[in-house]
Amino acid sequence: MYGKPNLTPEPNGKAILELRQDGQYVELPNHGLECIQDMTKCEHGFTLSAEIKLMDTNSTHKRYIFSSGGDQVGASGLALYLWHGELYCSTKKDNLIWTAKQKLNVSAGEWHTYQVSWNKKDGFIVYLDGKEFMSHSIKLPNPSQPTVYPLYIASAPNNTHSSTLMDVKNLFTWSASRDSLIGQGCITGRSILSFIFLLCKKNCFKEH
């Protein structure tokens, strides 16, 4: 964790990750999230879900929400970010890329639930508050991706711009697409914020 972001416990036993200052972001370890970090290992797709409160929705620079390098040449993974008031999503696996953008009509300071679901056959779908927001099923050729990066929250690998100011809660990942999870009646995912909370208790902070 960089910049000492706050992790505030809630009465229900969960926590809110508060990234309120430039330079505050999270870089998750290179284990436990192999599918999102290296999509060559995603045999059944993935789903990422989180409640997010964005503090700025009209930046002229890229503001990453989550990234493991999905919009970068030479990397395999996911990128979800804001740019000029539009929400972009990009996923890369092997020598293929899926990407799309859509105007994001939400106000700063509001909580909304974002979900990204991907599998190699159908591409990705981004859901906003449980409704389909944008999708891309057509895969495009792209150079091979030899580099694997960790998953970042509020920043991205090799990011030279400011970190994203936002709050995050109820952040989960699954190693399967959303449709597969619904079909299996699966509701249990890997709680990333619980893992971050353990890091905080161990004082595993980093600063630039």
Side-chain angles (χ1 to χ4, degrees):
M1 300 179 72
Y2 293 82
K4 294 187 176 181
N6 292 324
L7 197 62
T8 303
E10 293 188 287
N12 59 10
K14 299 181 180 180
I16 299 175
L17 176 63
E18 298 176 345
L19 303 148
R20 302 286 185 86
Q21 299 179 22
D22 185 24
Q24 292 184 335
Y25 65 94
V26 176
E27 175 188 337
L28 293 169
N30 253 329
H31 57 80
L33 299 168
E34 289 87 356
C35 183
I36 294 177
Q37 294 169 341
D38 181 3
M39 290 176 58
T40 62
K41 298 180 179 179
C42 267
E43 294 300 321
H44 306 288
F46 72 81
T47 301
L48 185 151
S49 178
E51 292 181 55
I52 298 169
K53 183 198 294 183
L54 296 165
M55 304 305 176
D56 179 12
T57 58
N58 293 295
S59 175
T60 56
H61 296 293
K62 286 185 179 181
R63 291 291 182 261
Y64 289 94
I65 300 173
F66 304 107
S67 178
S68 55
D71 63 330
Q72 299 184 21
V73 176
S76 173
L78 161 74
L80 185 69
Y81 58 94
L82 283 171
W83 195 15
H84 293 285
E86 294 181 309
L87 185 67
Y88 288 72
C89 186
S90 179
T91 55
K92 293 169 68 175
K93 174 183 169 69
D94 297 324
N95 61 343
L96 301 172
I97 183 170
W98 296 257
T99 186
K101 65 178 182 178
Q102 183 73 26
K103 179 69 175 178
L104 185 64
N105 294 312
V106 302
S107 298
E110 294 179 346
W111 283 106
H112 294 278
T113 300
Y114 297 79
Q115 292 180 326
V116 181
S117 177
W118 174 89
N119 66 61
K120 187 174 181 179
K121 178 182 177 181
D122 302 319
F124 71 75
I125 301 176
V126 177
Y127 296 88
L128 179 63
D129 296 327
K131 297 180 180 180
E132 184 173 328
F133 179 71
M134 65 177 174
S135 64
H136 194 84
S137 60
I138 301 174
K139 50 189 178 237
L140 302 173
N142 195 71
S144 60
Q145 284 79 53
T147 305
V148 177
Y149 292 109
L151 180 67
Y152 287 72
I153 303 172
S155 190
N158 308 311
N159 183 28
T160 59
H161 297 300
S162 299
S163 58
T164 303
L165 305 185
M166 64 181 189
D167 291 351
V168 185
K169 65 180 180 179
N170 293 326
L171 173 55
F172 292 92
T173 65
W174 294 264
S175 294
S177 65
R178 187 174 184 269
D179 287 346
S180 295
L181 294 170
I182 292 174
Q184 297 169 13
C186 179
I187 58 173
T188 302
R190 178 182 175 85
S191 176
I192 298 177
L193 289 188
S194 296
F195 177 70
I196 294 172
F197 189 61
L198 290 176
L199 290 181
C200 287
K201 292 176 70 174
K202 294 179 181 178
N203 296 317
C204 293
F205 291 101
K206 298 179 181 178
E207 295 190 58
H208 290 295

